[in-house]
Amino acid sequence: ASYAAWATTHGLTGASAQPGATPYRDGVPNLLKFALNLTGAGPDSRRMVAGGGTGGLPCIEPWGQGAGRTLRFEFVRRTASGLIYTPQMSTDLAVWLNLTAAPASTTPIDSEWERVVYEGPATTSPMFGRLEVRLP
């Protein structure tokens, strides 16, 4: 499904249908709702359930112990959508670095969605993560 079709299906029109709009004032722009399998027909800021969720804001958390500790990103993404999903890490919230490695795992959910896990080295503390999503 295209972003425009998704917006129409969820009753979004005019300025409320723009990718950066937050028509329900829940802090989640429409583009993220489209990209992460959240509803566009009302407020929705739920978080992904690690290990089995089918939608929600990314679950980003420390994973493992000692030298093997990572910052783990788990989220769903639309397959064949053209959207660009980029996990990013920071130690200071000022400079963000893209994770360039391939996902640690990709699990199909259905014909439109897959669950993706990325892991980045968590060698310092504090460590922050975010997911950037862009239209092609």
Side-chain angles (χ1 to χ4, degrees):
S2 71
Y3 174 80
W6 175 88
T8 299
T9 298
H10 288 89
L12 301 169
T13 61
S16 292
Q18 295 301 308
T22 55
Y24 299 101
R25 295 186 175 96
D26 56 8
V28 183
N30 288 335
L31 180 58
L32 288 183
K33 289 182 176 187
F34 171 70
L36 300 172
N37 202 16
L38 294 163
T39 185
D44 191 356
S45 59
R46 64 192 151 96
R47 184 174 174 228
M48 171 85 173
V49 174
T54 59
L57 297 172
C59 179
I60 303 172
E61 59 192 6
W63 197 260
Q65 300 292 323
R69 184 179 156 138
T70 64
L71 190 61
R72 188 171 194 257
F73 297 74
E74 186 170 350
F75 56 93
V76 297
R77 70 179 172 195
R78 286 183 178 271
T79 57
S81 67
L83 290 172
I84 301 161
Y85 294 79
T86 308
Q88 298 177 324
M89 296 176 65
S90 175
T91 58
D92 61 10
L93 298 177
V95 176
W96 290 90
L97 301 174
N98 295 344
L99 290 182
T100 56
S105 69
T106 304
T107 307
I109 296 172
D110 59 28
S111 63
E112 191 173 0
W113 296 97
E114 62 188 359
R115 186 175 13 276
V116 182
V117 174
Y118 279 87
E119 293 182 0
T123 55
T124 64
S125 189
M127 183 61 65
F128 304 96
R130 71 180 183 189
L131 178 67
E132 179 183 76
V133 178
R134 293 176 298 163
L135 290 166

